[in-house]
Amino acid sequence: MPKPAPFTPKPAIEKLPLAVRKDVRDNFENEKEDLEKQVNDLLGNEYKFKFNPNEIWAYNESSGSTNCGSIMKNYATGFIYCLKYYVEKYGDEGKDHFNGAVSQSEISVGVNTLGDKAPTISCEVRDGVFWILFHPTSLGYNCDYIGDAMLAAIEAAPCEGLSLRAKHSVDEDYESKIDELQEELGKLIGMPDVTLDPNWDENFKALKEGVKDEGWQTSFGRAVFDYFEGFKSQLGYQGFKDDEMLQEGLADVFSSKKIVLRVLPKIKKSYNEAVIEDGTVYLQTTPSNWWVNVSQTGEGFIDLL
């Protein structure tokens, strides 16, 4: 069966009808400065809407319609609507990621070259420009439906360190409660100055390389917290609370007073394990068993002492 022909974009209209040009002037160009200011206020940067009506209007399928400027404005206001939610959720980190990815500080609209396979609306970052993409037969539809695609577009751009989704989870599900857990664990083992090291960057890198489904990023902070909590619970089950013999035995081999979580390609046990190396306790798991049976973290730890 022959392959379908690749999508070929339509050529730009050489000269738009007067009524269409008037609509572009009245309903987009006259309001563009205010629209750009709204974006700049949200992102703290000088952004420009660079929409080409001659290219966009080539996909108009409504005979006799002239509302090109209104449609362009709808794409701009739809973008701003979704951007507000993005900034509210991801804050300054989100702004930094956005500005870093969209290095040209431009927002454009164009046809999706997937052709018939394209969604009604989507977006991507290409060569530092944020592109709002429409299906070839769906110009002007669902202009404010790029919320989820916006995050994916920004995160697809190369970036060092944790993703926005992962950072958001760390802030929401880890930072707000880890101090209390660390204090409880210190009391349990008789070491009030024990520290928990989540090893964020290395573990994120290992998971990103080893797990195809990126859904784990939205729960990254919660999962790391659960490993430390599981270890604390295991030590409680094994009788460390108020047992000076066990606490002294741990102190003899735990000189760093640091507990580190690390993701490795392979470990000896099935799901996770605890080991002691050079005075440091390591809680270990693999990408394929990430966030699996975390309540067993540290099972049999007493046998290491």
Side-chain angles (χ1 to χ4, degrees), residues 198-256:
N199 197 18
W200 295 121
D201 289 342
E202 291 301 317
N203 289 334
F204 181 83
K205 182 179 178 181
L207 291 169
K208 194 164 178 61
E209 293 175 352
V211 182
K212 291 183 179 180
D213 182 358
E214 294 189 349
W216 60 270
Q217 296 187 33
T218 61
S219 55
F220 186 47
R222 180 181 172 190
V224 172
F225 180 87
D226 285 352
Y227 277 103
F228 288 133
E229 186 175 50
F231 182 61
K232 187 204 80 170
S233 297
Q234 279 293 330
L235 296 189
Y237 297 149
Q238 293 169 46
F240 278 81
K241 181 177 172 59
D242 299 327
D243 190 316
E244 293 184 1
M245 180 181 290
L246 291 182
Q247 291 176 358
E248 288 175 2
L250 176 60
D252 288 341
V253 297
F254 189 31
S255 57
S256 77

Short mmCIF file of all heavy atoms in Angstrom, two decimals, residues 198-256:
data_model
loop_
_atom_site.label_atom_id
_atom_site.label_comp_id
_atom_site.label_asym_id
_atom_site.label_seq_id
_atom_site.Cartn_x
_atom_site.Cartn_y
_atom_site.Cartn_z
N PRO A 198 18.30 13.76 49.03
CA PRO A 198 17.46 13.21 47.95
C PRO A 198 18.20 13.01 46.64
O PRO A 198 17.68 12.38 45.73
CB PRO A 198 16.36 14.26 47.80
CG PRO A 198 16.99 15.53 48.27
CD PRO A 198 17.95 15.15 49.36
N ASN A 199 19.41 13.60 46.51
CA ASN A 199 20.23 13.35 45.33
C ASN A 199 19.45 13.68 44.05
O ASN A 199 19.42 12.90 43.09
CB ASN A 199 20.68 11.88 45.33
CG ASN A 199 21.84 11.60 44.42
OD1 ASN A 199 22.56 12.49 44.00
ND2 ASN A 199 22.01 10.33 44.09
N TRP A 200 18.82 14.85 44.05
CA TRP A 200 17.84 15.19 43.02
C TRP A 200 18.34 15.03 41.60
O TRP A 200 17.73 14.32 40.78
CB TRP A 200 17.36 16.64 43.21
CG TRP A 200 16.59 16.93 44.45
CD1 TRP A 200 16.92 17.84 45.42
CD2 TRP A 200 15.36 16.34 44.87
NE1 TRP A 200 15.96 17.85 46.41
CE2 TRP A 200 15.00 16.94 46.11
CE3 TRP A 200 14.53 15.35 44.34
CZ2 TRP A 200 13.85 16.59 46.79
CZ3 TRP A 200 13.38 15.00 45.03
CH2 TRP A 200 13.05 15.62 46.25
N ASP A 201 19.43 15.71 41.26
CA ASP A 201 19.86 15.78 39.87
C ASP A 201 20.26 14.41 39.33
O ASP A 201 19.88 14.04 38.20
CB ASP A 201 21.02 16.76 39.72
CG ASP A 201 20.58 18.21 39.88
OD1 ASP A 201 19.37 18.48 39.77
OD2 ASP A 201 21.44 19.07 40.12
N GLU A 202 21.03 13.67 40.11
CA GLU A 202 21.48 12.36 39.64
C GLU A 202 20.31 11.38 39.48
O GLU A 202 20.25 10.62 38.51
CB GLU A 202 22.53 11.79 40.59
CG GLU A 202 23.86 12.53 40.57
CD GLU A 202 24.49 12.53 39.18
OE1 GLU A 202 24.48 11.47 38.53
OE2 GLU A 202 24.98 13.59 38.76
N ASN A 203 19.39 11.40 40.44
CA ASN A 203 18.25 10.49 40.35
C ASN A 203 17.31 10.87 39.21
O ASN A 203 16.78 10.00 38.51
CB ASN A 203 17.49 10.46 41.68
CG ASN A 203 18.27 9.74 42.76
OD1 ASN A 203 19.11 8.88 42.47
ND2 ASN A 203 18.02 10.09 44.01
N PHE A 204 17.13 12.17 39.01
CA PHE A 204 16.28 12.61 37.91
C PHE A 204 16.89 12.16 36.58
O PHE A 204 16.17 11.66 35.69
CB PHE A 204 16.14 14.13 37.93
CG PHE A 204 15.27 14.68 36.84
CD1 PHE A 204 13.89 14.71 36.98
CD2 PHE A 204 15.82 15.15 35.65
CE1 PHE A 204 13.07 15.21 35.97
CE2 PHE A 204 15.02 15.64 34.63
CZ PHE A 204 13.64 15.66 34.80
N LYS A 205 18.18 12.33 36.44
CA LYS A 205 18.86 11.93 35.21
C LYS A 205 18.73 10.44 34.98
O LYS A 205 18.45 9.99 33.85
CB LYS A 205 20.33 12.34 35.29
CG LYS A 205 21.13 12.02 34.04
CD LYS A 205 22.57 12.48 34.20
CE LYS A 205 23.39 12.13 32.96
NZ LYS A 205 24.82 12.55 33.10
N ALA A 206 18.91 9.65 36.03
CA ALA A 206 18.81 8.19 35.90
C ALA A 206 17.41 7.75 35.50
O ALA A 206 17.24 6.85 34.66
CB ALA A 206 19.22 7.53 37.22
N LEU A 207 16.40 8.38 36.09
CA LEU A 207 15.02 8.02 35.76
C LEU A 207 14.65 8.47 34.35
O LEU A 207 13.95 7.76 33.62
CB LEU A 207 14.06 8.64 36.78
CG LEU A 207 14.14 8.03 38.19
CD1 LEU A 207 13.35 8.89 39.18
CD2 LEU A 207 13.62 6.60 38.19
N LYS A 208 15.12 9.64 33.96
CA LYS A 208 14.80 10.16 32.63
C LYS A 208 15.40 9.26 31.55
O LYS A 208 14.81 9.05 30.49
CB LYS A 208 15.32 11.59 32.48
CG LYS A 208 14.76 12.32 31.26
CD LYS A 208 14.99 13.79 31.36
CE LYS A 208 14.48 14.55 30.13
NZ LYS A 208 13.04 14.38 29.93
N GLU A 209 16.57 8.71 31.84
CA GLU A 209 17.21 7.81 30.88
C GLU A 209 16.62 6.40 30.92
O GLU A 209 16.63 5.70 29.91
CB GLU A 209 18.72 7.73 31.16
CG GLU A 209 19.46 9.03 30.89
CD GLU A 209 20.92 8.97 31.31
OE1 GLU A 209 21.31 7.96 31.94
OE2 GLU A 209 21.66 9.92 31.01
N GLY A 210 16.06 6.02 32.08
CA GLY A 210 15.65 4.63 32.24
C GLY A 210 14.16 4.36 32.21
O GLY A 210 13.75 3.20 32.22
N VAL A 211 13.32 5.41 32.23
CA VAL A 211 11.86 5.22 32.24
C VAL A 211 11.26 5.93 31.03
O VAL A 211 11.43 7.14 30.87
CB VAL A 211 11.24 5.78 33.55
CG1 VAL A 211 9.75 5.51 33.56
CG2 VAL A 211 11.90 5.14 34.77
N LYS A 212 10.57 5.18 30.18
CA LYS A 212 10.00 5.78 28.97
C LYS A 212 8.82 6.69 29.27
O LYS A 212 8.72 7.79 28.74
CB LYS A 212 9.58 4.66 28.01
CG LYS A 212 10.75 3.90 27.40
CD LYS A 212 10.27 2.87 26.40
CE LYS A 212 11.46 2.13 25.77
NZ LYS A 212 11.00 1.10 24.79
N ASP A 213 7.89 6.24 30.10
CA ASP A 213 6.73 7.04 30.45
C ASP A 213 7.15 8.13 31.43
O ASP A 213 7.61 7.83 32.53
CB ASP A 213 5.65 6.15 31.07
CG ASP A 213 4.38 6.91 31.41
OD1 ASP A 213 4.35 8.14 31.20
OD2 ASP A 213 3.43 6.28 31.91
N GLU A 214 6.98 9.39 31.04
CA GLU A 214 7.46 10.49 31.88
C GLU A 214 6.47 10.90 32.97
O GLU A 214 6.68 11.90 33.65
CB GLU A 214 7.80 11.70 31.00
CG GLU A 214 8.97 11.45 30.06
CD GLU A 214 9.43 12.70 29.36
OE1 GLU A 214 8.72 13.73 29.43
OE2 GLU A 214 10.52 12.66 28.75
N GLY A 215 5.43 10.12 33.17
CA GLY A 215 4.46 10.44 34.21
C GLY A 215 5.06 10.49 35.60
O GLY A 215 4.52 11.17 36.49
N TRP A 216 6.17 9.79 35.82
CA TRP A 216 6.82 9.79 37.13
C TRP A 216 7.27 11.18 37.56
O TRP A 216 7.41 11.46 38.76
CB TRP A 216 8.04 8.86 37.13
CG TRP A 216 9.10 9.23 36.15
CD1 TRP A 216 9.21 8.81 34.86
CD2 TRP A 216 10.18 10.14 36.36
NE1 TRP A 216 10.30 9.39 34.24
CE2 TRP A 216 10.92 10.21 35.15
CE3 TRP A 216 10.61 10.90 37.45
CZ2 TRP A 216 12.04 11.01 35.00
CZ3 TRP A 216 11.74 11.70 37.30
CH2 TRP A 216 12.44 11.75 36.10
N GLN A 217 7.46 12.08 36.60
CA GLN A 217 7.96 13.41 36.95
C GLN A 217 6.97 14.20 37.80
O GLN A 217 7.37 15.00 38.65
CB GLN A 217 8.30 14.19 35.68
CG GLN A 217 9.43 13.57 34.88
CD GLN A 217 9.87 14.42 33.72
OE1 GLN A 217 9.83 15.66 33.79
NE2 GLN A 217 10.30 13.81 32.63
N THR A 218 5.67 13.99 37.60
CA THR A 218 4.67 14.74 38.35
C THR A 218 4.59 14.30 39.81
O THR A 218 3.99 15.00 40.61
CB THR A 218 3.28 14.57 37.69
OG1 THR A 218 2.91 13.19 37.70
CG2 THR A 218 3.29 15.08 36.26
N SER A 219 5.19 13.17 40.15
CA SER A 219 5.16 12.68 41.53
C SER A 219 6.57 12.47 42.07
O SER A 219 6.76 11.76 43.05
CB SER A 219 4.37 11.38 41.62
OG SER A 219 4.91 10.41 40.73
N PHE A 220 7.54 13.10 41.44
CA PHE A 220 8.94 12.87 41.80
C PHE A 220 9.21 13.19 43.27
O PHE A 220 9.81 12.38 44.00
CB PHE A 220 9.82 13.73 40.89
CG PHE A 220 11.30 13.49 41.05
CD1 PHE A 220 11.83 12.21 41.06
CD2 PHE A 220 12.19 14.57 41.15
CE1 PHE A 220 13.19 11.99 41.18
CE2 PHE A 220 13.55 14.36 41.26
CZ PHE A 220 14.06 13.08 41.28
N GLY A 221 8.77 14.35 43.73
CA GLY A 221 9.02 14.74 45.12
C GLY A 221 8.32 13.82 46.11
O GLY A 221 8.89 13.45 47.14
N ARG A 222 7.10 13.46 45.79
CA ARG A 222 6.34 12.56 46.68
C ARG A 222 7.00 11.20 46.78
O ARG A 222 7.08 10.62 47.86
CB ARG A 222 4.92 12.43 46.16
CG ARG A 222 4.04 11.51 47.00
CD ARG A 222 2.65 11.38 46.42
NE ARG A 222 1.88 10.37 47.12
CZ ARG A 222 0.69 9.92 46.71
NH1 ARG A 222 0.14 10.43 45.62
NH2 ARG A 222 0.06 9.00 47.39
N ALA A 223 7.48 10.68 45.65
CA ALA A 223 8.11 9.37 45.66
C ALA A 223 9.38 9.38 46.51
O ALA A 223 9.62 8.46 47.31
CB ALA A 223 8.43 8.94 44.23
N VAL A 224 10.21 10.42 46.36
CA VAL A 224 11.43 10.51 47.15
C VAL A 224 11.10 10.58 48.64
O VAL A 224 11.72 9.92 49.47
CB VAL A 224 12.27 11.74 46.72
CG1 VAL A 224 13.44 11.96 47.67
CG2 VAL A 224 12.77 11.55 45.29
N PHE A 225 10.10 11.39 48.98
CA PHE A 225 9.67 11.46 50.37
C PHE A 225 9.25 10.08 50.88
O PHE A 225 9.59 9.68 52.00
CB PHE A 225 8.50 12.44 50.52
CG PHE A 225 8.00 12.57 51.93
CD1 PHE A 225 8.57 13.48 52.80
CD2 PHE A 225 6.96 11.77 52.40
CE1 PHE A 225 8.12 13.60 54.11
CE2 PHE A 225 6.50 11.88 53.71
CZ PHE A 225 7.09 12.80 54.56
N ASP A 226 8.53 9.34 50.07
CA ASP A 226 8.03 8.03 50.48
C ASP A 226 9.16 7.04 50.74
O ASP A 226 9.04 6.16 51.61
CB ASP A 226 7.07 7.46 49.43
CG ASP A 226 5.71 8.15 49.45
OD1 ASP A 226 5.46 8.95 50.37
OD2 ASP A 226 4.89 7.89 48.54
N TYR A 227 10.26 7.15 49.99
CA TYR A 227 11.40 6.27 50.26
C TYR A 227 11.98 6.55 51.64
O TYR A 227 12.27 5.62 52.41
CB TYR A 227 12.48 6.44 49.19
CG TYR A 227 12.23 5.64 47.94
CD1 TYR A 227 11.74 6.25 46.79
CD2 TYR A 227 12.46 4.26 47.91
CE1 TYR A 227 11.50 5.51 45.64
CE2 TYR A 227 12.22 3.52 46.76
CZ TYR A 227 11.73 4.15 45.63
OH TYR A 227 11.49 3.41 44.49
N PHE A 228 12.15 7.81 51.97
CA PHE A 228 12.69 8.15 53.30
C PHE A 228 11.69 7.76 54.40
O PHE A 228 12.09 7.28 55.46
CB PHE A 228 13.01 9.63 53.37
CG PHE A 228 14.22 10.02 52.56
CD1 PHE A 228 14.18 11.12 51.71
CD2 PHE A 228 15.40 9.31 52.66
CE1 PHE A 228 15.30 11.49 50.96
CE2 PHE A 228 16.53 9.67 51.92
CZ PHE A 228 16.46 10.76 51.06
N GLU A 229 10.42 7.99 54.16
CA GLU A 229 9.41 7.63 55.15
C GLU A 229 9.35 6.11 55.33
O GLU A 229 9.21 5.62 56.47
CB GLU A 229 8.05 8.16 54.74
CG GLU A 229 6.98 7.95 55.80
CD GLU A 229 5.66 8.59 55.42
OE1 GLU A 229 5.19 8.35 54.28
OE2 GLU A 229 5.09 9.32 56.26
N GLY A 230 9.47 5.37 54.23
CA GLY A 230 9.48 3.92 54.32
C GLY A 230 10.65 3.42 55.13
O GLY A 230 10.52 2.47 55.93
N PHE A 231 11.81 4.05 54.96
CA PHE A 231 13.00 3.66 55.72
C PHE A 231 12.80 3.94 57.21
O PHE A 231 13.13 3.10 58.06
CB PHE A 231 14.22 4.41 55.20
CG PHE A 231 15.51 4.04 55.88
CD1 PHE A 231 15.99 2.75 55.82
CD2 PHE A 231 16.25 4.98 56.59
CE1 PHE A 231 17.18 2.38 56.44
CE2 PHE A 231 17.42 4.64 57.21
CZ PHE A 231 17.89 3.33 57.14
N LYS A 232 12.24 5.08 57.53
CA LYS A 232 11.97 5.40 58.93
C LYS A 232 11.03 4.37 59.55
O LYS A 232 11.25 3.89 60.68
CB LYS A 232 11.34 6.79 59.04
CG LYS A 232 11.19 7.29 60.48
CD LYS A 232 10.11 8.33 60.62
CE LYS A 232 8.74 7.68 60.68
NZ LYS A 232 7.67 8.63 61.05
N SER A 233 9.99 4.01 58.81
CA SER A 233 9.02 3.03 59.32
C SER A 233 9.69 1.68 59.54
O SER A 233 9.43 0.99 60.54
CB SER A 233 7.85 2.88 58.35
OG SER A 233 7.14 4.10 58.23
N GLN A 234 10.57 1.28 58.63
CA GLN A 234 11.26 0.01 58.77
C GLN A 234 12.15 0.00 60.02
O GLN A 234 12.19 -0.99 60.76
CB GLN A 234 12.10 -0.28 57.53
CG GLN A 234 11.33 -0.86 56.37
CD GLN A 234 10.81 -2.25 56.65
OE1 GLN A 234 11.41 -3.03 57.41
NE2 GLN A 234 9.66 -2.57 56.06
N LEU A 235 12.84 1.09 60.28
CA LEU A 235 13.67 1.15 61.48
C LEU A 235 12.81 1.08 62.74
O LEU A 235 13.23 0.51 63.76
CB LEU A 235 14.51 2.43 61.48
CG LEU A 235 15.55 2.56 60.37
CD1 LEU A 235 16.46 3.76 60.64
CD2 LEU A 235 16.38 1.30 60.23
N GLY A 236 11.63 1.66 62.66
CA GLY A 236 10.70 1.54 63.78
C GLY A 236 10.27 0.09 64.00
O GLY A 236 10.27 -0.40 65.14
N TYR A 237 9.95 -0.61 62.92
CA TYR A 237 9.56 -2.02 63.02
C TYR A 237 10.70 -2.87 63.59
O TYR A 237 10.46 -3.85 64.33
CB TYR A 237 9.20 -2.58 61.64
CG TYR A 237 8.01 -1.94 60.98
CD1 TYR A 237 7.94 -1.85 59.59
CD2 TYR A 237 6.96 -1.40 61.72
CE1 TYR A 237 6.86 -1.26 58.96
CE2 TYR A 237 5.87 -0.80 61.10
CZ TYR A 237 5.83 -0.73 59.72
OH TYR A 237 4.76 -0.14 59.10
N GLN A 238 11.93 -2.48 63.27
CA GLN A 238 13.08 -3.28 63.69
C GLN A 238 13.58 -2.93 65.08
O GLN A 238 14.58 -3.47 65.54
CB GLN A 238 14.20 -3.15 62.65
CG GLN A 238 13.83 -3.77 61.30
CD GLN A 238 14.79 -3.44 60.19
OE1 GLN A 238 16.01 -3.51 60.36
NE2 GLN A 238 14.27 -3.09 59.01
N GLY A 239 12.89 -2.00 65.76
CA GLY A 239 13.12 -1.78 67.18
C GLY A 239 14.18 -0.75 67.54
O GLY A 239 14.70 -0.77 68.67
N PHE A 240 14.49 0.19 66.66
CA PHE A 240 15.53 1.16 66.97
C PHE A 240 15.10 2.20 67.99
O PHE A 240 15.95 2.81 68.66
CB PHE A 240 15.98 1.88 65.69
CG PHE A 240 16.98 1.09 64.89
CD1 PHE A 240 16.56 0.08 64.05
CD2 PHE A 240 18.34 1.36 64.99
CE1 PHE A 240 17.48 -0.65 63.31
CE2 PHE A 240 19.27 0.63 64.27
CZ PHE A 240 18.83 -0.39 63.42
N LYS A 241 13.82 2.42 68.14
CA LYS A 241 13.34 3.45 69.07
C LYS A 241 13.71 3.08 70.50
O LYS A 241 13.36 2.00 71.01
CB LYS A 241 11.82 3.60 68.95
CG LYS A 241 11.22 4.68 69.85
CD LYS A 241 9.73 4.80 69.61
CE LYS A 241 9.06 5.72 70.62
NZ LYS A 241 9.61 7.08 70.59
N ASP A 242 14.46 3.97 71.16
CA ASP A 242 14.84 3.84 72.56
C ASP A 242 15.71 2.62 72.86
O ASP A 242 15.88 2.24 74.04
CB ASP A 242 13.60 3.80 73.47
CG ASP A 242 12.76 5.06 73.37
OD1 ASP A 242 13.35 6.14 73.15
OD2 ASP A 242 11.52 4.97 73.48
N ASP A 243 16.26 1.98 71.84
CA ASP A 243 17.14 0.82 72.07
C ASP A 243 18.59 1.28 71.91
O ASP A 243 19.09 1.44 70.79
CB ASP A 243 16.82 -0.30 71.08
CG ASP A 243 17.53 -1.61 71.43
OD1 ASP A 243 18.73 -1.55 71.77
OD2 ASP A 243 16.87 -2.67 71.36
N GLU A 244 19.26 1.51 73.04
CA GLU A 244 20.62 2.06 73.00
C GLU A 244 21.60 1.13 72.30
O GLU A 244 22.53 1.59 71.62
CB GLU A 244 21.10 2.35 74.43
CG GLU A 244 20.34 3.49 75.10
CD GLU A 244 20.90 3.82 76.47
OE1 GLU A 244 21.90 3.16 76.87
OE2 GLU A 244 20.36 4.71 77.14
N MET A 245 21.40 -0.18 72.43
CA MET A 245 22.31 -1.12 71.78
C MET A 245 22.25 -0.99 70.26
O MET A 245 23.28 -0.92 69.60
CB MET A 245 21.99 -2.56 72.19
CG MET A 245 22.92 -3.59 71.54
SD MET A 245 22.51 -5.29 72.01
CE MET A 245 23.01 -5.26 73.74
N LEU A 246 21.03 -0.94 69.74
CA LEU A 246 20.88 -0.80 68.29
C LEU A 246 21.37 0.57 67.82
O LEU A 246 22.03 0.68 66.78
CB LEU A 246 19.42 -0.99 67.89
CG LEU A 246 18.84 -2.40 68.03
CD1 LEU A 246 17.40 -2.44 67.54
CD2 LEU A 246 19.68 -3.41 67.26
N GLN A 247 21.07 1.59 68.59
CA GLN A 247 21.49 2.94 68.20
C GLN A 247 23.01 3.06 68.21
O GLN A 247 23.60 3.69 67.32
CB GLN A 247 20.86 3.97 69.13
CG GLN A 247 19.34 4.08 68.95
CD GLN A 247 18.70 5.04 69.94
OE1 GLN A 247 19.37 5.61 70.80
NE2 GLN A 247 17.40 5.22 69.83
N GLU A 248 23.67 2.46 69.19
CA GLU A 248 25.13 2.50 69.25
C GLU A 248 25.74 1.68 68.12
O GLU A 248 26.75 2.05 67.53
CB GLU A 248 25.62 1.99 70.60
CG GLU A 248 25.34 2.96 71.75
CD GLU A 248 25.71 2.38 73.10
OE1 GLU A 248 26.22 1.23 73.13
OE2 GLU A 248 25.48 3.06 74.12
N GLY A 249 25.09 0.55 67.80
CA GLY A 249 25.58 -0.27 66.70
C GLY A 249 25.50 0.48 65.38
O GLY A 249 26.41 0.38 64.54
N LEU A 250 24.44 1.23 65.20
CA LEU A 250 24.31 2.04 63.99
C LEU A 250 25.35 3.15 63.97
O LEU A 250 25.99 3.40 62.93
CB LEU A 250 22.90 2.64 63.91
CG LEU A 250 22.63 3.60 62.75
CD1 LEU A 250 22.84 2.92 61.41
CD2 LEU A 250 21.21 4.17 62.84
N ALA A 251 25.55 3.81 65.10
CA ALA A 251 26.51 4.91 65.18
C ALA A 251 27.92 4.47 64.81
O ALA A 251 28.70 5.24 64.22
CB ALA A 251 26.49 5.53 66.56
N ASP A 252 28.26 3.22 65.12
CA ASP A 252 29.60 2.71 64.83
C ASP A 252 29.91 2.68 63.33
O ASP A 252 31.07 2.80 62.93
CB ASP A 252 29.76 1.29 65.41
CG ASP A 252 29.87 1.29 66.93
OD1 ASP A 252 30.17 2.36 67.49
OD2 ASP A 252 29.64 0.23 67.53
N VAL A 253 28.87 2.48 62.50
CA VAL A 253 29.11 2.35 61.04
C VAL A 253 28.52 3.52 60.25
O VAL A 253 28.60 3.54 59.02
CB VAL A 253 28.50 1.02 60.52
CG1 VAL A 253 29.19 -0.17 61.17
CG2 VAL A 253 27.00 0.96 60.77
N PHE A 254 27.93 4.48 60.95
CA PHE A 254 27.18 5.56 60.29
C PHE A 254 27.82 6.90 60.62
O PHE A 254 27.18 7.81 61.14
CB PHE A 254 25.73 5.50 60.78
CG PHE A 254 24.78 6.39 60.03
CD1 PHE A 254 24.95 6.72 58.70
CD2 PHE A 254 23.66 6.92 60.69
CE1 PHE A 254 24.06 7.53 58.03
CE2 PHE A 254 22.76 7.73 60.03
CZ PHE A 254 22.97 8.04 58.69
N SER A 255 29.10 7.03 60.30
CA SER A 255 29.86 8.20 60.71
C SER A 255 29.43 9.48 59.99
O SER A 255 29.53 10.58 60.55
CB SER A 255 31.35 7.96 60.46
OG SER A 255 31.58 7.63 59.08
N SER A 256 28.95 9.40 58.76
CA SER A 256 28.57 10.61 58.02
C SER A 256 27.23 11.16 58.46
O SER A 256 26.91 12.32 58.20
CB SER A 256 28.51 10.31 56.52
OG SER A 256 27.32 9.60 56.19
#
